[in-house]
Amino acid sequence: MGTGNDFSKNFSYKNFKVENLLNLKDRKIDLIKVNNKIGINVLSLGFDTLVLEKAYEFLNKNPHLGKKAYLLGVIKALKHLSYKDLSFKIYDKDNKAIEFEDKFLLSAICNGGYYGSGFNPAPSAKIDDGLLNLVYAKKLPNLLLPSLIIRYKFGLLEKSKYLDEIKIKKGQIRSSEKILANIDGEIFESKKINFQILENSLTWTYFDKTQKKC
């Protein structure tokens, strides 16, 4: 029921029929713990959260804008483009600690693959694999920003020295100043963000397309 309905894109409704509702199944999916909050889809910080903040400003003035508010948010956020010094300490899928720091445009910790009204930075993300997909964009020349946004939108991270992705279990992000971030569209600020995957934490009901009709 969100503005972009991005979480629903983790499921295929392409061949949905009303009869499918007669064949419902339950399965466990993962959640994200972020400081003292719980999320289901994506934790993100940096430029994309600034875009979200600007989009909300447009929606408050004109609720009928819908998804168009995100495009207007991008245009307005570009006028306030900035990079943040961030320190990461993360644990990969084998629980190996990795530490790095740099100037970043944005970072997203994805349980689901979509957010921001159709952006798909982590196409391989699955909500039931026990992993989070950390995607981040480093500081880059302004001339390359349009191409980076396109790559980020469609998950084309290969062959880019400014974009990268790591599959992880948990981690911490630190900054000397408050980080503008959001979890599933709820904006917050913090100098330290702790996050981790909560495996098999929610029972999700879905329709089983493989089951024969009664």
Side-chain angles (χ1 to χ4, degrees):
M1 299 299 291
T3 306
N5 287 326
D6 292 292
F7 184 69
S8 69
K9 296 180 179 71
N10 292 296
F11 307 90
S12 174
Y13 297 105
K14 191 173 183 180
N15 300 312
F16 174 78
K17 297 178 181 179
V18 174
E19 302 94 272
N20 295 139
L21 295 174
L22 300 174
N23 301 321
L24 298 179
K25 297 289 184 179
D26 290 342
R27 70 175 179 187
K28 296 289 186 179
I29 65 172
D30 305 327
L31 297 174
I32 314 172
K33 184 177 181 181
V34 183
N35 292 348
N36 60 346
K37 298 177 181 290
I38 301 294
I40 194 171
N41 194 35
V42 174
L43 158 68
S44 68
L45 52 142
F47 179 71
D48 54 354
T49 304
L50 181 60
V51 169
L52 181 64
E53 184 179 58
K54 302 305 179 186
Y56 285 165
E57 291 174 3
F58 284 110
L59 285 170
N60 286 334
K61 294 176 181 177
N62 185 357
H64 299 293
L65 282 172
K67 294 181 181 181
K68 294 178 182 177
Y70 284 99
L71 177 59
L72 295 173
V74 170
I75 295 171
K76 191 170 183 179
L78 284 172
K79 298 178 182 179
H80 305 278
L81 189 65
S82 64
Y83 297 88
K84 299 296 181 184
D85 292 304
L86 302 177
S87 297
F88 285 79
K89 183 175 183 179
I90 56 176
Y91 293 83
D92 68 10
K93 59 184 179 180
D94 299 316
N95 213 35
K96 177 183 176 183
I98 302 171
E99 295 187 52
F100 56 93
E101 59 183 38
D102 211 323
K103 288 185 179 292
F104 295 90
L105 176 64
L106 58 83
S107 302
I109 294 91
C110 305
N111 186 32
Y114 293 85
Y115 82 125
S117 191
F119 276 75
N120 185 207
S124 67
K126 296 180 180 179
I127 58 172
D128 58 358
D129 63 354
L131 295 170
L132 296 169
N133 292 51
L134 166 62
V135 181
Y136 56 84
K138 295 181 180 179
K139 186 175 181 179
L140 75 164
N142 288 343
L143 287 174
L144 297 179
L145 187 59
S147 63
L148 180 135
I149 292 174
I150 292 171
R151 284 178 173 274
Y152 189 79
K153 178 175 176 63
F154 296 104
L156 304 174
L157 310 183
E158 305 86 358
K159 299 179 181 179
S160 173
K161 64 181 180 180
Y162 302 107
L163 281 170
D164 206 352
E165 179 181 25
I166 309 172
K167 293 193 176 186
I168 59 177
K169 289 281 191 179
K170 60 182 179 179
Q172 182 183 86
I173 306 170
R174 301 177 68 98
S175 175
S176 59
E177 56 185 38
K178 286 187 176 181
I179 308 166
L180 185 67
N182 81 90
I183 176 71
D184 296 341
E186 294 186 15
I187 297 174
F188 67 95
E189 289 185 312
S190 179
K191 290 184 178 181
K192 181 171 67 176
I193 300 175
N194 293 297
F195 61 89
Q196 68 180 85
I197 189 75
L198 299 178
E199 297 183 47
N200 301 321
S201 294
L202 183 67
T203 300
W204 190 264
T205 301
Y206 67 104
F207 62 84
D208 182 5
K209 294 185 292 184
T210 62
Q211 186 172 328
K212 295 181 180 180
K213 295 181 180 178
C214 297

